[in-house]
């Protein structure tokens, strides 16, 4: 088999996500070495479960040398692996880069300036209008755009770029052959024809919640600048911002009315140090001008304020109300049981330490998460709260993995971020 075929085999093993591949590559170094290793060798050299080793073994049996990539090509899809010359250089620089990409159309040109435009799905008419106008203007200046092909701001980014005759790229949180949301099918095809559709997930992968914040690192990773047009206080667009800051990318935000929920996230970003966006000239100046130390200092300040949850000019900011939903499901029951026993995650009550590991409610809660990062983060949180930086240090997870865990916890109302930027369990 060719090197590309080995990579394709590895990336298509069920539940073989990026982080797991990264761990395996630290041990085996190449997908070919893993392919040629026996089940017993894999068992001795890794901490994979029997089920995971069985999936690798089954994938070997089912792999059809020379046929699978050809079948993919007949569907208008190509597979680009890390060792390919046309693998995006911007993504290659990421420590958590995907090992394989599925592409329809083109990949962004590494030589051209690229802007990521993100924001609320349930955006306002103002946000939609401003996004289409900005994207069209950027396209007229030869700037590629990247977004997530979601409803709202993402769609407006792609529509505006296409209207301006530019190239736009949709980064999916599902398989390359799955259009989500389905009503964007026409836009999906237009992007493929005048830019590209890109996914790190194998064809047929259905949209699942955790995959979308995880793919956001690719949206920021493929861009030189990240622009937030509208965002609520807990918008997924803010996860893209945090990825961008970890990657050293400059962030712009469009200001909005202080009474508009869709502008609260943007207005706070500006207070924290994001660049104010009022028209196309604001970002064009940063693409063409001497940026250097000024941009690095901006990124440092914004990143620091995001981690601390503080504003630039004053401590604190607009955080979650901390209101807890009604106790109407097994997840709430499990959390309440831990609190009532004094077993807040990360702070085990010594009197109950003997049986806490066997608590069926704990297991029920743990199994309910779609991502293991959520449970890991929850175990290190308590009612006193911790900033993101502390969670990174204590869990051993990367900042991106902590953000993914927090996103699931927040979306399920298991935790809240206070005005001080600390994350707390209820």
């Amino acid at each position: 088999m060719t090197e590309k075929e080995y990579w394709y085999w590895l990336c298509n093993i069920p539940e073989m996500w990026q982080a797991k591949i990264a761990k395996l590559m630290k041990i085996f170094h190449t997908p070919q070495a893993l392919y040629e290793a026996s089940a017993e060798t894999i068992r001795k050299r890794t901490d994979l479960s029997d089920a995971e080793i069985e999936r690798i073994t089954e994938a070997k049996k089912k792999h059809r040398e020379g046929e699978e990539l050809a079948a993919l090509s007949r569907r208008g899809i190509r597979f680009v692996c890390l060792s390919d010359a046309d693998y995006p250089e911007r993504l290659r620089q990421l420590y958590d880069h995907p090992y394989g990409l599925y592409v329809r159309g083109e990949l962004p040109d590494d030589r051209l300036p690229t802007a990521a435009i993100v924001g609320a799905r349930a955006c306002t008419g103002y946000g939609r209008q401003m996004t289409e106008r900005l994207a069209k203007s950027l396209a007229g200046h030869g700037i590629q755009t990247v977004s997530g092909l979601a409803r709202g701001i993402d769609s407006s980014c792609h529509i505006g770029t296409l209207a301006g005759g530019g190239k736009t790229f949709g980064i999916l949180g599902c398989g390359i052959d799955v259009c989500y949301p389905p009503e964007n099918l026409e836009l999906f095809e237009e992007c493929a024809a005048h830019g590209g559709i890109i996914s790190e997930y194998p064809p047929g992968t259905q949209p699942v919640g955790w995959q979308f914040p995880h793919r956001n690192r690719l949206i920021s990773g493929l861009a030189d600048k990240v622009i937030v047009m509208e965002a609520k206080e807990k918008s997924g667009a803010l996860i893209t911002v945090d990825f961008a800051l970890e990657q050293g990318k400059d962030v712009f935000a469009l200001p909005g009315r202080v009474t508009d929920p869709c502008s609260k996230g943007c207005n706070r970003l500006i207070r924290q140090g994001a660049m104010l966006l009022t028209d196309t000239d604001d970002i064009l100046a940063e693409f063409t001008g001497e940026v250097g130390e000024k941009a690095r200092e901006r990124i440092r300040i914004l990143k620091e304020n995001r981690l601390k949850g503080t504003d630039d000019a004053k401590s604190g900011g607009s955080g979650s109300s901390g209101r807890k939903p009604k106790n109407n499901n097994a997840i709430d029951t499990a959390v309440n049981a831990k609190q009532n026993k004094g077993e807040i995650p990360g702070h085990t009550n010594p009197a109950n330490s003997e049986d806490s590991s066997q608590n069926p409610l704990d297991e029920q809660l743990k199994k309910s998460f779609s991502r293991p990062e959520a449970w890991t983060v929850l175990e290190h949180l308590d009612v006193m709260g911790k900033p993101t930086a502390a969670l990174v240090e204590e869990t051993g997870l990367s900042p991106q993995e902590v953000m993914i865990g927090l996103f699931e916890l927040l979306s399920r109302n298991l935790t809240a971020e206070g005005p001080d930027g600390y994350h707390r369990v209820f």
Side-chain angles (χ1 to χ4, degrees):
M1 291 198 299
T2 65
E3 183 177 9
K4 184 189 286 284
E5 286 178 302
Y6 282 116
W7 277 118
Y8 182 82
W9 164 78
L10 177 57
C11 292
N12 280 269
I13 297 173
E15 298 182 39
M16 185 61 71
W17 309 121
Q18 186 274 339
K20 197 171 293 180
I21 294 176
K23 290 180 180 178
L24 287 171
M25 288 303 97
K26 286 182 180 178
I27 298 169
F28 292 96
H29 306 296
T30 68
Q32 180 178 353
L34 176 63
Y35 186 91
E36 294 173 350
S38 66
E40 187 58 33
T41 297
I42 296 172
R43 185 173 287 105
K44 287 179 179 179
R45 298 184 64 186
T46 72
D47 59 357
L48 295 182
S49 67
D50 288 342
E52 289 170 324
I53 295 172
E54 179 62 24
R55 284 196 288 271
I56 293 174
T57 303
E58 283 301 309
K60 292 181 186 180
K61 295 176 183 178
K62 293 178 180 179
H63 184 68
R64 297 167 296 161
E65 184 175 348
E67 295 181 24
E68 296 180 347
L69 289 177
L72 204 65
S73 180
R74 287 193 293 271
R75 298 170 61 192
I77 302 168
R78 61 193 175 103
F79 177 74
V80 179
C81 63
L82 188 63
S83 60
D84 285 338
D86 57 346
Y87 186 95
E89 195 58 36
R90 291 181 178 97
L91 293 187
R92 202 189 297 275
Q93 302 304 318
L94 305 183
Y95 83 91
D96 55 354
H97 51 250
Y99 289 87
L101 297 170
Y102 304 86
V103 183
R104 279 193 60 195
E106 304 175 27
L107 285 163
D109 190 330
D110 286 327
R111 300 165 298 177
L112 297 179
T114 308
I117 302 179
V118 298
R121 287 176 170 82
C123 64
T124 66
Y126 164 75
R128 186 177 299 109
Q129 179 185 20
M130 292 298 293
T131 302
E132 290 185 18
R133 191 167 83 176
L134 173 67
K136 183 177 181 180
S137 180
L138 290 175
H141 287 86
I143 296 174
Q144 306 171 120
T145 63
V146 178
S147 199
L149 256 174
R151 298 180 180 97
I153 296 298
D154 287 18
S155 294
S156 295
C157 164
H158 299 303
I159 291 168
T161 306
L162 293 168
K167 291 187 176 182
T168 188
F169 300 86
I171 317 302
L172 306 184
C174 52
I176 193 77
D177 55 348
V178 179
C179 179
Y180 182 80
E183 64 265 27
N184 270 358
L185 181 58
E186 184 177 348
L187 183 59
F188 182 97
E189 296 297 336
E190 283 291 308
C191 288
H194 303 283
I197 305 294
I198 303 165
S199 176
E200 66 179 311
Y201 302 109
T205 303
Q206 295 301 307
V208 179
W210 69 265
Q211 294 165 189
F212 291 91
H214 189 59
R215 69 87 198 262
N216 287 1
R217 79 193 196 285
L218 305 187
I219 294 177
S220 58
L222 284 167
D224 300 305
K225 314 287 181 184
V226 173
I227 305 168
V228 187
M229 298 302 289
E230 283 190 330
K232 295 181 179 180
E233 287 182 304
K234 292 185 180 180
S235 171
L238 301 182
I239 295 178
T240 309
V241 167
D242 291 323
F243 282 136
L245 295 173
E246 286 298 323
Q247 296 161 1
K249 308 292 177 71
D250 224 342
V251 176
F252 292 74
L254 178 75
R257 293 172 298 188
V258 296
T259 56
D260 193 334
C262 279
S263 291
K264 287 186 179 295
C266 285
N267 291 341
R268 191 177 187 205
L269 280 175
I270 293 167
R271 293 199 304 272
Q272 290 177 323
M275 289 286 286
L276 176 69
L277 177 69
T278 56
D279 59 35
T280 312
D281 288 342
D282 292 334
I283 191 166
L284 288 178
E286 296 303 319
F287 271 116
T288 59
E290 289 295 328
V291 184
E293 288 301 323
K294 286 186 178 180
R296 283 191 283 273
E297 180 64 10
R298 270 202 311 272
I299 293 165
R300 185 194 65 76
I301 291 171
L302 178 54
K303 181 179 177 181
E304 187 175 292
N305 285 330
R306 291 286 299 158
L307 287 171
K308 292 180 179 178
T310 58
D311 292 349
D312 188 33
K314 62 180 187 294
S315 177
S318 52
S320 168
S321 64
R323 184 172 59 86
K324 184 179 179 183
K326 293 180 181 179
N327 180 12
N328 59 1
N329 56 43
I331 296 173
D332 284 330
T333 303
V335 174
N336 287 339
K338 290 180 75 65
Q339 291 175 331
N340 293 338
K341 291 172 67 179
E343 295 173 356
I344 299 299
H347 291 264
T348 305
N349 185 337
N352 298 316
S353 59
E354 289 185 3
D355 61 0
S356 64
S357 62
Q358 300 174 359
N359 185 350
L361 290 173
D362 279 1
E363 284 302 308
Q364 188 176 10
L365 176 61
K366 183 176 181 179
K367 291 178 180 177
S368 73
F369 292 121
S370 62
R371 291 288 292 178
E373 291 90 343
W375 176 254
T376 302
V377 171
L378 185 60
E379 284 189 302
H380 288 81
L381 280 175
D382 55 36
V383 292
M384 297 301 293
K386 295 176 182 177
T388 306
L391 290 171
V392 171
E393 182 177 348
E394 292 180 15
T395 61
L397 299 174
S398 70
Q400 288 93 334
E401 289 169 329
V402 168
M403 287 296 176
I404 288 169
L406 286 171
F407 182 79
E408 180 167 354
L409 295 172
L410 286 166
S411 68
R412 292 168 63 169
N413 292 308
L414 293 177
T415 63
E417 182 181 5
D420 55 2
Y422 277 47
H423 301 278
R424 297 175 171 83
V425 293
F426 291 117

